Amino acid sequence: MVEPEGEPWVTLNGVRRPLRSPLLADLVREAGHDPSRPGIAVAVNGEVIPRASWTLRRLERGDEIEVVGAVQGG
Amino acid sequence: MELPEDPWRIAGQTLGSRLLLGSARYPSRQALLDSLAASGAEIVTVAIRRVGVGSSAENLYEVLRERGLKILPNTAGCFTAEDAIRTAELGREALGTEWVKLEVIADEDTLLPDVEGLLLAARALVAKGFTVLPYTNDDPVVCRRLEDLGCAAVMPLGAPIGSGLGIRNPHNIQLIKERAQVPVVVDAGVGTPSDVTVAFELGVDAVLLNSAIARARDPVRMARAMRHAAAAGREGFLAGRIPRKFYAEPSSPMEGRIRT
């Protein structure tokens, strides 16, 4: 994928995507999750970001974000 | 028939059911929920995984919470202490619980615990304030180490995960129970209700099972059978079994027999 020079991007659960807003909470919302509902957790570059900080945390080009939740498991 | 009340305590919490259920591999979400109800379990384990757009991950959390179940995140699929610690932290953040079923797996063929990684992760997670419930080998020495590190219970396997082979080393399970100050939960290997009964006859506090119910032809019926099996084994343990003898001992009196 050829991008314009300087176009910010991040990876979300291993998939590269453009960074439209620098705020983590916006990315969580873009990914289809309501940041106010419990049940998910977010890590940025391997560091777990507490829910209360999602609206403050600014993302940078190349950040690796994981959004995880509970699935059926033993 | 009413089953007798027989509460137990783990990590400061009193529970009425001595069965813990895994939530994996059910034929449907409904089969899972019906089986949970039929088993009477109050604790259900979940895995922590990436969630996609529009996924039902939040639903599972909410559905289980609505039913009053305590959700226990696991670190299944982690092969290093580092991955297990990170997964535990994500589970704590996602589900709002300090409890974690700690698994550090050695290899994909046996899914046996990697004891070195397990002890490392247990130490780190206890220090971070987690209530650590470690899945471990049926090794009394390792169980003692885990308890010394501050784990809230020990969860020795009966047999490899998903194998349905039952309690392969009852002597070790009994040794673990006799030496432990924390609750002992047999985790993994159960195949049948009689396996559950055997575990409780050995004196363990609880049994965690998943595949034996989820993969049964009729999971809900098997869940109910497991509930009865748990009560039978537990009652048998409390009642005190007779000693094993090498030779027969007549149960009818030998005196007063007729002469011919």
Side-chain angles (χ1 to χ4, degrees):
Chain A
M1 189 170 72
V2 180
E3 297 164 84
E5 186 69 23
E7 178 82 12
W9 56 272
V10 293
T11 62
L12 175 64
N13 287 350
V15 179
R16 189 162 155 161
R17 61 186 288 147
L19 185 61
R20 296 202 179 88
S21 155
L23 288 183
L24 178 58
D26 291 338
L27 183 71
V28 170
R29 216 172 278 116
E30 266 179 54
H33 304 288
D34 178 351
S36 67
R37 278 173 76 189
I40 58 169
V42 176
V44 177
N45 302 328
E47 180 199 354
V48 180
I49 310 297
R51 181 176 294 266
S53 304
W54 293 356
T55 51
L56 304 171
R57 173 67 185 232
R58 298 184 77 80
L59 298 173
E60 288 174 13
R61 181 190 180 89
D63 276 350
E64 294 176 357
I65 297 106
E66 300 279 350
V67 180
V68 302
V71 301
Q72 287 175 230
Chain B
M1 188 198 72
E2 270 296 295
L3 296 175
E5 286 197 16
D6 183 23
W8 63 295
R9 281 178 74 76
I10 178 168
Q13 189 156 336
T14 302
L15 296 168
S17 171
R18 289 174 179 267
L19 291 180
L20 292 72
L21 258 56
S23 60
R25 304 182 79 194
Y26 281 84
S28 67
R29 172 76 56 91
Q30 196 56 49
L32 163 64
L33 297 175
D34 292 346
S35 298
L36 282 163
S39 72
E42 294 156 287
I43 295 183
V44 57
T45 68
V46 297
I48 300 299
R49 293 289 181 271
R50 287 173 168 175
V51 291
V53 175
S55 98
S56 60
E58 286 168 281
N59 287 341
L60 176 64
Y61 170 80
E62 287 171 355
V63 162
L64 296 174
R65 280 292 299 270
E66 278 166 16
R67 281 161 176 75
L69 292 156
K70 181 167 179 62
I71 305 172
L72 177 60
N74 68 26
T75 63
C78 292
F79 288 85
T80 64
E82 190 188 11
D83 281 351
I85 292 164
R86 183 162 302 148
T87 302
E89 289 177 327
L90 287 166
R92 170 161 74 176
E93 180 66 22
L95 308 179
T97 176
E98 309 283 318
W99 290 32
V100 61
K101 174 185 164 181
L102 178 61
E103 296 182 41
V104 182
I105 298 303
D107 69 79
E108 288 187 38
D109 293 325
T110 65
L111 298 179
L112 288 170
D114 178 328
V115 169
E116 193 179 8
L118 181 67
L119 292 168
L120 271 172
R123 183 191 297 274
L125 288 170
V126 167
K128 288 171 184 280
F130 281 86
T131 295
V132 180
L133 312 176
Y135 161 70
T136 181
N137 288 304
D138 56 356
D139 179 336
V141 177
V142 172
C143 285
R144 174 60 66 85
R145 295 268 152 78
L146 288 164
E147 181 176 343
D148 289 346
L149 288 175
C151 292
V154 289
M155 305 210 296
L157 53 81
I161 293 171
S163 69
L165 291 171
I167 313 298
R168 302 310 292 170
N169 196 337
H171 177 67
N172 271 22
I173 297 293
Q174 204 168 358
L175 258 180
I176 289 165
K177 176 57 197 170
E178 284 185 7
R179 291 154 47 100
Q181 303 297 311
V182 293
V184 176
V185 182
V186 165
D187 179 6
V190 162
T192 64
S194 58
D195 293 336
V196 168
T197 303
V198 166
F200 281 107
E201 284 176 358
L202 294 170
V204 303
D205 298 278
V207 172
L208 196 163
L209 70 172
N210 189 339
S211 302
I213 293 176
R215 308 290 284 172
R217 195 173 58 236
D218 183 343
V220 179
R221 191 166 204 156
M222 187 59 87
R224 195 167 56 234
M226 292 301 188
R227 181 183 198 160
H228 287 280
R234 181 71 189 156
E235 286 280 275
F237 171 73
L238 293 173
R241 61 151 300 152
I242 60 166
R244 289 184 172 85
K245 288 185 180 159
F246 196 71
Y247 289 107
E249 183 180 321
S251 44
S252 302
M254 295 302 276
E255 301 77 30
R257 287 171 293 166
I258 58 165
R259 297 279 159 90
T260 53

